Amino acid sequence: VYRFSFEEQLLGIFNNPAFMTIPNMVVNKNDPFSRYIAQERLDEIQDGWIYQTLLDILEGAINSTKLFVVGLIIYVDKTHSDHKGRFCLEPVIAYLTILNQETRAQFGAQIILGYINDLELSSSAYKRTTVDPKHKGRSCRNWHKQMEVLLQPISHYQQGIRTTDLQDNLIRAKIIIDDPENKKQFCQVCKLYPTILCVLGDGKSQDNFVGRFASHNQGTQRACWQCDVKPADLSNPYQWRYIAW
């Protein structure tokens, strides 16, 4: 599995003065290190309910240890490395929600976590006729095994918030944020707490993420392995229940 240093890339963004400026960030303009106040217009992910709920949970740690919450958007999409698309790689990229949409699109504002290899080179027709039924789902399991490796650094830092002792595992950084309009700078030494807020990708990548069955036809008994919802009932939030193992 090709995995790159999450910490080095994250600190590279925080140390880039072109990004760390108030007009390019989703922070409070008067005090960028204080709790972000959601705007009435839902324009950024940090304006949403998930991020605000996370801040409620971490409020004590934010105030006592100068915790700086770094929301992440994970983007996954397969790309071809040859003419016919037989050999593919699936880049796994992280974007920081503290940067606004325009800034996130700039070169260098992304964190490349690594690449997922396509370990199943056989065609679908060949696998249908030759693969042992007990090996069904192997490609999805291979995908998750590789994704586990790529997300391990983020998982490591998230575990660090659970106890005071483990908070030393968080990334410690001196953050400088420029305010060109008022001609001043904000500076503070913080502990960076990266956490995933959103996952984006195409249909197949999303199916792999949530454990959805690859078949989408009406004959499929249930859409996901963890619940009994049928494809016809996917739009009904009340027609499902978790499957107990």
Side-chain angles (χ1 to χ4, degrees):
V1 180
Y2 297 94
R3 188 178 78 181
F4 306 107
S5 174
F6 172 79
E7 181 174 343
E8 288 183 9
Q9 294 181 83
L10 180 64
L11 292 176
I13 294 176
F14 274 99
N15 290 329
N16 190 333
F19 297 144
M20 304 305 290
T21 177
I22 293 293
N24 293 339
M25 302 181 71
V26 186
V27 294
N28 294 326
K29 295 183 178 180
N30 296 327
D31 183 5
F33 296 106
S34 63
R35 173 170 179 157
Y36 175 71
I37 301 175
Q39 306 300 306
E40 293 185 4
R41 177 183 177 184
L42 296 179
D43 191 43
E44 295 284 350
I45 288 182
Q46 294 188 176
D47 294 324
W49 173 83
I50 291 294
Y51 183 75
Q52 296 300 319
T53 301
L54 176 65
L55 295 184
D56 291 336
I57 297 173
L58 299 176
E59 186 170 6
I62 293 174
N63 296 331
S64 61
T65 63
K66 295 183 179 179
L67 202 69
F68 193 86
V69 179
V70 183
L72 300 175
I73 303 170
I74 302 297
Y75 176 74
V76 184
D77 194 6
K78 183 178 291 186
T79 182
H80 296 171
S81 58
D82 68 318
H83 178 64
K84 295 185 178 180
R86 182 173 176 80
F87 301 100
C88 301
L89 284 176
E90 203 161 355
V92 181
I93 303 172
Y95 298 85
L96 275 57
T97 62
I98 61 167
L99 302 179
N100 59 35
Q101 297 181 44
E102 182 179 355
T103 306
R104 291 198 298 267
Q106 296 181 18
F107 178 79
Q110 306 83 26
I111 296 175
I112 302 177
L113 298 177
Y115 298 97
I116 294 178
N117 291 296
D118 188 356
L119 303 179
E120 291 287 339
L121 299 181
S122 303
S123 66
S124 299
Y126 176 81
K127 286 187 285 187
R128 280 197 299 267
T129 57
T130 61
V131 174
D132 192 318
K134 67 180 180 181
H135 293 151
K136 290 186 66 175
R138 182 171 58 186
S139 60
C140 185
R141 292 193 295 272
N142 289 338
W143 192 92
H144 274 274
K145 285 292 185 181
Q146 295 181 79
M147 182 61 74
E148 182 179 6
V149 174
L150 298 183
L151 296 183
Q152 190 277 329
I154 301 175
S155 174
H156 168 75
Y157 295 125
Q158 289 182 338
Q159 293 174 359
I161 197 62
R162 299 184 184 278
T163 65
T164 304
D165 295 337
L166 291 177
Q167 286 188 21
D168 293 335
N169 292 338
L170 298 178
I171 305 171
R172 187 179 178 88
K174 181 179 180 180
I175 303 175
I176 300 176
I177 301 176
D178 186 43
D179 183 0
E181 182 179 350
N182 297 310
K183 298 181 179 180
K184 63 179 180 180
Q185 287 185 333
F186 300 90
C187 180
Q188 184 169 298
V189 177
C190 303
K191 291 182 178 180
L192 305 182
Y193 178 63
T195 184
I196 298 174
L197 298 179
C198 179
V199 176
L200 302 176
D202 62 2
K204 185 175 181 180
S205 297
Q206 299 291 54
D207 287 349
N208 279 333
F209 252 116
V210 301
R212 177 178 169 133
F213 292 114
S215 176
H216 295 175
N217 59 50
Q218 293 298 319
T220 305
Q221 295 300 309
R222 63 182 194 270
C224 303
W225 65 267
Q226 70 268 41
C227 68
D228 67 350
V229 64
K230 297 179 180 180
D233 296 325
L234 285 174
S235 60
N236 189 338
Y238 304 104
Q239 290 294 328
W240 66 273
R241 65 180 176 84
Y242 282 116
I243 296 176
W245 298 93

